[in-house]
Each structure stands twice: as C-alpha cells, then as structure tokens.
Amino acid sequence: MLWKHEPDVERLQQTMQGTLLEHLGLTLEGFGDDWIAVRMPVDQRTIQPYGILHGGASVALAESLGSLASALCIEDHSTHTPVGVEINANHLRPVPDGQFVIGTLSPIRIGRRMHVWNIEIRDPEDRLVCISRLTIMVVERG
C-alpha cells in the first residue's frame, strides 16, 4: 500500500471542513491501495457564467486531491507538510450545471521530498473531462 496513514473517509471528510474543499462541495468517494476518488457537484459554486464547469474548479479539485493524498504519504505531520509547486490541466469537454464530476488520483512518482500525481476528472458517463498532473514538494515545517 502507498499510504503511510490509512485513509479514513470520516477523518478526511472532517479535514475538508472550513476549507475550499468544503466550499466546492467535495466529498470522498473511495480509495484503494494507490488511488483516491472525490466527487464535486457542477453547480453555482463551480460553474462559469456560461453554465458549464469552470476550469479553475477542476484545477482546485486536482490540487486539493493531490494535497490530501500527499498528506497520507508523509510519515510525520508535525515536521513536514505537502505544498503544491506545479500543476497543469487539459480541459477536454464541458460538463453542464446540475451534473457532477469524479476526480480520481493515482501516483506517477512518490519520493521522500517530491510527489507527482495524475488526476483524471470524469463526468457521469465516465467521459474524460480534464486530465491534470500535480507536483507536490514535502517541506519541513518552519
């Protein structure tokens, strides 16, 4: 298993409270030995003026999911923390207001100080909406 801390759905959902993740309506859908999936509604919080999913919301989902995953890969949270240093995203198809998307994360490379994640965001018909790559640095707390 990739995780140094067992993913706990209730605990992870609690860490989202009072953050951008809660504001975007992210909910944990599931996890496995090396993946995590979250659901995000396409609604007034996540659409652009044209009534479709905002690309920035997709990027926020991707970076948030990667940060959660990296936190599960850090041995000691009292001395180290994950921070995003680079993200890219290709927006491939629109998703209209009233639907939802599922973001699923998998590792590309997990080192001691750098984590690189692949995040795929799909619509209810399982069509690829956005693909993103995120680089996280594990830094010492100051």
Side-chain angles (χ1 to χ4, degrees), residues 8-138:
D8 176 308
V9 173
E10 187 174 312
R11 189 168 107 354
L12 287 173
Q13 211 55 58
Q14 287 174 353
T15 66
M16 294 183 196
Q17 292 179 356
T19 70
L20 176 65
L21 290 76
E22 180 183 40
H23 177 74
L24 294 176
L26 294 184
T27 55
L28 190 61
E29 285 290 295
F31 60 87
D33 287 346
D34 66 349
W35 63 272
I36 300 176
V38 296
R39 178 179 170 131
M40 182 175 71
V42 179
D43 63 16
Q44 77 281 356
R45 298 168 290 184
T46 59
I47 61 170
Q48 57 175 258
Y50 307 109
I52 59 174
L53 179 62
H54 193 292
S58 294
V59 172
L61 180 158
E63 182 152 356
S64 299
L65 186 50
S67 294
L68 282 174
S70 283
L72 294 172
C73 293
I74 295 173
E75 293 267 353
D76 188 352
H77 292 117
S78 68
T79 60
H80 291 83
T81 192
V83 294
V85 294
E86 192 275 337
I87 189 166
N88 69 40
N90 296 101
H91 307 290
L92 305 173
R93 72 179 320 113
V95 181
D97 187 7
Q99 291 193 4
F100 65 88
V101 293
I102 302 286
T104 304
L105 164 137
S106 60
I108 295 173
R109 182 179 187 285
I110 306 302
R112 288 184 305 120
R113 297 282 183 236
M114 182 181 292
H115 302 167
V116 182
W117 300 102
N118 184 69
I119 299 97
E120 293 186 357
I121 301 173
R122 296 182 176 270
D123 69 9
E125 286 81 45
D126 200 35
R127 296 176 298 189
L128 193 58
V129 170
C130 177
I131 189 156
S132 182
R133 187 185 68 232
L134 171 67
T135 303
I136 297 273
M137 291 297 297
V138 178

